[in-house]
Amino acid sequence: MAVPADASPLRKLALFVGPGLLVSVGYMDPGNWATAIEAGSRFGYALLFVVVLASFSGMLLQSLCSRLGIATGRDLAQLSRERYRPGVARGQWLLAELSIVATDLAEVLGAALAFHLLLGVSITTGVVLTAFDTLIVLAL
């Protein structure tokens, strides 16, 4: 959605608050912070530098992607497909898909374990239930 040039500053702010809130909640995942705090309790301040550096790196990348989207109206995947040869673009797509799978693996196994503990089903059945509830959410 384009920001109208004659919109009031409050209206312009309101147009950016929603997407900004979604991105910040998605990045500042409570599970990530819980893991970081638990690891910090084991390793003390030795791990603090890594957590701070990773947080700043994530914020920098999100800022750059936001600027790219605002300036061009397209996302990084679209621009990469236009700029690189088809083979390179497919390689980038494959690496992105593998990264998504690796990131979501912990979430799927965690949900499967929760189904196992709550319902007494096997882990395999828990994975199937997790896949099914993910499809339900996507359908909604």
Side-chain angles (χ1 to χ4, degrees):
M1 178 175 163
V3 178
D6 59 343
S8 69
L10 187 60
R11 173 74 177 141
K12 289 179 183 178
L13 178 66
L15 290 173
F16 286 99
V17 166
L21 181 64
L22 288 176
V23 168
S24 65
V25 167
Y27 178 69
M28 300 300 178
D29 178 17
N32 292 341
W33 282 100
T35 303
I37 289 171
E38 192 272 331
S41 69
R42 284 191 193 170
F43 299 107
Y45 289 106
L47 191 63
L48 184 61
F49 175 75
V50 175
V51 172
V52 170
L53 185 64
S55 295
F56 282 138
S57 298
M59 288 184 245
L60 173 69
L61 289 174
Q62 284 186 352
S63 172
L64 291 173
C65 286
S66 297
R67 290 177 185 191
L68 181 70
I70 291 169
T72 64
R74 292 181 296 215
D75 60 36
L76 184 60
Q78 293 169 334
L79 292 171
S80 293
R81 186 180 60 219
E82 291 173 8
R83 179 167 172 91
Y84 296 114
R85 295 187 318 265
V88 174
R90 276 191 219 100
Q92 288 177 337
W93 169 74
L94 180 65
L95 289 174
E97 291 293 336
L98 288 173
S99 298
I100 291 168
V101 169
T103 302
D104 288 341
L105 185 61
E107 305 297 331
V108 170
L109 291 177
L113 183 61
F115 281 127
H116 174 70
L117 293 173
L118 292 172
L119 304 176
V121 298
S122 70
I123 297 294
T124 306
T125 305
V127 169
V128 171
L129 287 172
T130 303
F132 182 67
D133 71 20
T134 301
L135 292 175
I136 290 173
V137 169
L138 287 173
L140 293 176

